[in-house]
Amino acid sequence: MRKWVKEHGLLLANAGLFLAFFVGMILSGAAAYSEDQTTHGQPGVTVLEYLSTGDFVEATFENWESEFLQMAMYVILTVFLFQKGSSESKPMGKTAPQDQDPRDATIKDSTPWPVKRGGLVLKLYEHSLSILLLLLFLASFSLHAAGGAAAYSEEQQSHGQPTVTMLQYLATSRFWFESFQNWQSEFLSVAVLVGASVYLREKGSPESKPVAEPNYETGT
């Protein structure tokens, strides 16, 4: 068990932090939503009731949407683009291991089965990481729109205005403001990481070059 935990420590730590912060978001979100309801003469909600509100769905998936977009675009852009001196870039002027054609690989027992199978299965497997991230982005984008439409309609009703459908909500400036304010921050953080890793180091981290390596060296 101890060995398994050590082998999966990075995933477990991030999953644990996600759950802790997600619970914190739910509890504080339910409290904030209930306060807003009370202010407008409406009854507050329990935590479980809050989970079914458009407010919760919108708040959750507008953030997930930006994270998956960021990671999908980062994975795709690093296939084609380089940053001299950055640990986040593939080496320049030489072939990286990631560029090797799996069809030329020596088949072993440990070789992933899509590589052994070949054909369309291998073609999909070659791009499976970006496909997964893009699908998660599209799902989150849709749920953001659905939750946002429900929350917006609730506000509209409280002011005696007509409700909106999900498609109508997609045409509002509010939806795109929510999306763009998250998207811009995600790409800012990536740009800072890519640029800072040229000159700065973190000993022991695979996201950093070795501390004594020159700034112009590209890749890990």
Side-chain angles (χ1 to χ4, degrees):
M1 180 64 179
R2 182 178 298 178
K3 179 183 178 183
W4 185 87
V5 170
K6 181 179 180 180
E7 291 176 340
H8 300 85
L10 187 58
L11 174 60
L12 292 172
N14 278 280
L17 288 168
F18 161 72
L19 289 174
F21 293 138
F22 192 50
V23 170
M25 172 193 153
I26 291 172
L27 295 177
S28 58
Y33 183 80
S34 290
E35 289 175 8
D36 187 63
Q37 289 286 93
T38 303
T39 301
H40 292 85
Q42 301 294 323
V45 298
T46 66
V47 172
L48 288 179
E49 288 173 335
Y50 175 66
L51 295 179
S52 64
T53 63
D55 186 83
F56 167 74
V57 175
E58 178 184 35
T60 299
F61 290 103
E62 75 172 78
N63 282 282
W64 289 19
E65 160 198 311
S66 62
E67 299 296 338
F68 291 128
L69 175 63
Q70 175 214 56
M71 296 309 300
M73 291 305 301
Y74 188 54
V75 167
I76 294 170
L77 290 175
T78 52
V79 174
F80 308 102
L81 303 179
F82 302 87
Q83 177 57 51
K84 184 177 179 180
S86 176
S87 63
E88 298 299 309
S89 170
K90 291 187 296 185
M92 302 183 71
K94 57 182 179 181
T95 302
Q98 297 90 337
D99 293 327
Q100 295 174 358
D101 192 335
R103 294 160 188 80
D104 299 329
T106 301
I107 302 299
K108 308 174 184 176
D109 289 340
S110 58
T111 300
W113 75 265
V115 179
K116 297 177 181 177
R117 179 72 178 270
L120 179 60
V121 173
L122 175 55
K123 192 65 177 178
L124 292 172
Y125 186 64
E126 287 179 311
H127 304 288
S128 55
L129 181 57
S130 60
I131 289 172
L132 171 64
L133 292 170
L134 287 171
L135 288 175
L136 289 171
F137 162 69
L138 291 174
S140 298
F141 184 89
S142 300
L143 288 167
H144 169 202
Y152 187 75
S153 292
E154 185 178 323
E155 292 178 17
Q156 289 285 91
Q157 284 182 315
S158 68
H159 293 89
Q161 299 296 319
T163 60
V164 297
T165 65
M166 178 175 157
L167 288 178
Q168 288 173 327
Y169 184 64
L170 281 171
T172 65
S173 57
R174 170 169 153 170
F175 172 79
W176 291 105
F177 173 71
E178 291 169 347
S179 294
F180 288 140
Q181 72 172 333
N182 283 287
W183 295 359
Q184 57 86 20
S185 64
E186 298 299 335
F187 288 102
L188 172 62
S189 67
V190 170
V192 170
L193 178 61
V194 169
S197 67
V198 176
Y199 306 102
L200 305 179
R201 310 285 188 269
E202 183 59 44
K203 184 180 178 182
S205 174
E207 297 303 310
S208 167
K209 294 184 294 188
V211 176
E213 194 163 275
N215 290 339
Y216 58 77
E217 287 293 338
T218 306
T220 53

